[in-house]
Structure formats: structure tokens, C-alpha cells
Amino acid sequence: MDIKVTTLAGKAAGSVKVSDEVFGLEPRADLIQRVVLWQLAKKQQGTHQTKGRADISRTGAKMYRQKGTGRARHSSARAPQFRGGGKAHGPVVRSHEFDLPKKVRALGLRHALSAKAKSSDLIVVDDLKAADAKTKTLVGQLSGLGLDSALVIGGAEIDDNFRKAASNIPQIDVLPVQGINVYDILRRNKLVLSKAAVEALEERFK
């Protein structure tokens, strides 16, 4: 499978041959969804907490005598039914993370890449380098490529000028190839890969 390569200036720069095992699969929504749910669960802080009756600072004395008042019998003012009492079955601090096999995670990433390639939302550029860290210049180049919402994946190292110039552009995310993930691929309209990133992904999934 061949994909056209372009420059940041929008000029043709040949083509690159990519593996059908990485970019040519028939996308499976169920696999992609599993990986996205796994990622979102890992991101969830889990710091939500309410005070239970054991956490409420109130007297432990019985509210009133057991019999003879005509009222329901109660033992503690910390019970959930009273104003200021503890919350019954409230959220507690916990981890929402769950396990997902490495093979499923890898397959989900390959299917996400294939989905972008199939929908013609994958762009390969020869190099991600900027002469200077000017956001205005990079905005013009990205507009020329039709990119207003994109995930840009470079090689193992991101050019410092390019990274700084892109940091102020909304809906443009820049990551090294080690940080590529299914959630970030799907949340942007386009996926931009450098030739170095393509080679690294091909090597990773050999």
C-alpha cells in the first residue's frame, strides 16, 4: 500500500510504502472502543469521596430515649436520614483502571491507524521541522494542508521550533511516536505522520 508524501509547504515529496498489516486493516469499532474505554478509565482520577457516617464529627450519644416519645427509635445523629449525617453508599476514593491485554491494545492502535487511512484522513509529511518558532508561519502551512484539527506525530524527537510553534494552535496536538495512542488519534479529524514516525510504527508492529 502506497501513501503520498508531502512537505509542510504542500509540495509533493514522492510516496512511501506501508504495510497492510498496520495501515490496511478493515477497522473494527469494537476493538477501538475497548482501547478508548481502557484509556479513559486510566485517566480518571477516582478522587471523588463523600463522608460516610463514620467520618461525621457528632456525638455518639443516643438522640433520645428508646420508648415513650411516640417517635421512631434512633440511635445516632450521624445516620444518613438526618441533616448533616453521613452519606449512604457514597463514592469513595478508588482506581477505575482495569487490565487490557497488550495484544488487544496493539491491535486497537493498528485498527485506529487503518481507520484514518481508509477515510483518507491520514497525511504523511517528509519532515516536521520549522526554521523558527513562529506560530503564524506554522498556521499558514497547516492551513495550506487543510488542517484545522489534527494529531501530529513526529519521530523519537520532536523539533523544538516546531513544538513551540504548534503549542499555541488550538486543536493541533504534537506527540513523539512513542506517545501515539488510540484516543488522541480519534479525537482529531486528521492524523499527520512524519516519515520517521511511519518507519517507527512499521518497525514496532513487525
Side-chain angles (χ1 to χ4, degrees):
M1 177 179 174
D2 291 328
I3 298 178
K4 292 180 181 178
V5 180
T6 183
T7 65
L8 279 175
K11 298 178 180 178
S15 63
V16 61
K17 189 173 183 63
V18 297
S19 169
D20 288 340
E21 293 299 314
V22 181
F23 295 94
L25 300 173
E26 187 64 33
R28 280 182 52 185
D30 61 316
L31 271 176
I32 294 174
Q33 184 200 29
R34 285 181 68 186
V35 179
V36 169
L37 290 177
W38 171 75
Q39 280 189 248
L40 293 179
K42 278 191 72 175
K43 284 179 67 175
Q44 195 165 343
Q45 285 186 327
T47 53
H48 39 31
Q49 184 182 19
T50 57
K51 287 186 176 181
R53 61 187 298 173
D55 304 312
I56 299 297
S57 178
R58 276 189 174 180
T59 177
K62 189 171 174 67
M63 294 179 66
Y64 45 79
R65 60 198 177 99
Q66 178 86 345
K67 295 180 177 295
T69 65
R71 300 173 64 186
R73 50 197 174 184
H74 291 294
S75 139
S76 171
R78 294 190 290 249
Q81 64 265 37
F82 298 116
R83 183 187 294 272
K87 177 76 173 175
H89 311 297
V92 295
V93 175
R94 68 185 181 91
S95 170
H96 294 268
E97 187 176 348
F98 59 87
D99 289 332
L100 191 66
K102 284 184 179 179
K103 288 186 177 180
V104 176
R105 286 182 255 160
L107 193 57
L109 179 55
R110 285 161 53 195
H111 277 264
L113 293 169
S114 297
K116 286 295 184 184
K118 185 176 181 180
S119 61
S120 301
D121 289 327
L122 174 62
I123 297 173
V124 178
V125 296
D126 61 343
D127 204 2
L128 295 173
K129 285 188 178 178
D132 46 38
K134 290 194 177 294
T135 300
K136 185 176 180 180
T137 304
L138 185 57
V139 167
Q141 292 175 326
L142 296 179
S143 297
L145 294 172
L147 300 176
D148 55 2
S149 171
L151 172 65
V152 182
I153 302 294
E157 298 279 338
I158 299 291
D159 178 65
D160 201 45
N161 285 339
F162 185 90
R163 180 183 56 78
K164 287 178 180 177
S167 64
N168 292 327
I169 307 176
Q171 298 192 56
I172 299 293
D173 300 325
V174 180
L175 292 174
V177 69
Q178 306 95 298
I180 191 170
N181 62 87
V182 175
Y183 178 68
D184 282 331
I185 290 174
L186 297 182
R187 69 194 289 258
R188 299 301 180 205
N189 294 338
K190 301 285 186 179
L191 174 63
V192 180
L193 299 176
S194 67
K195 285 182 72 174
V198 172
E199 291 168 4
L201 288 168
E202 294 272 322
E203 185 67 27
R204 176 173 171 178
F205 291 118
K206 266 187 177 179

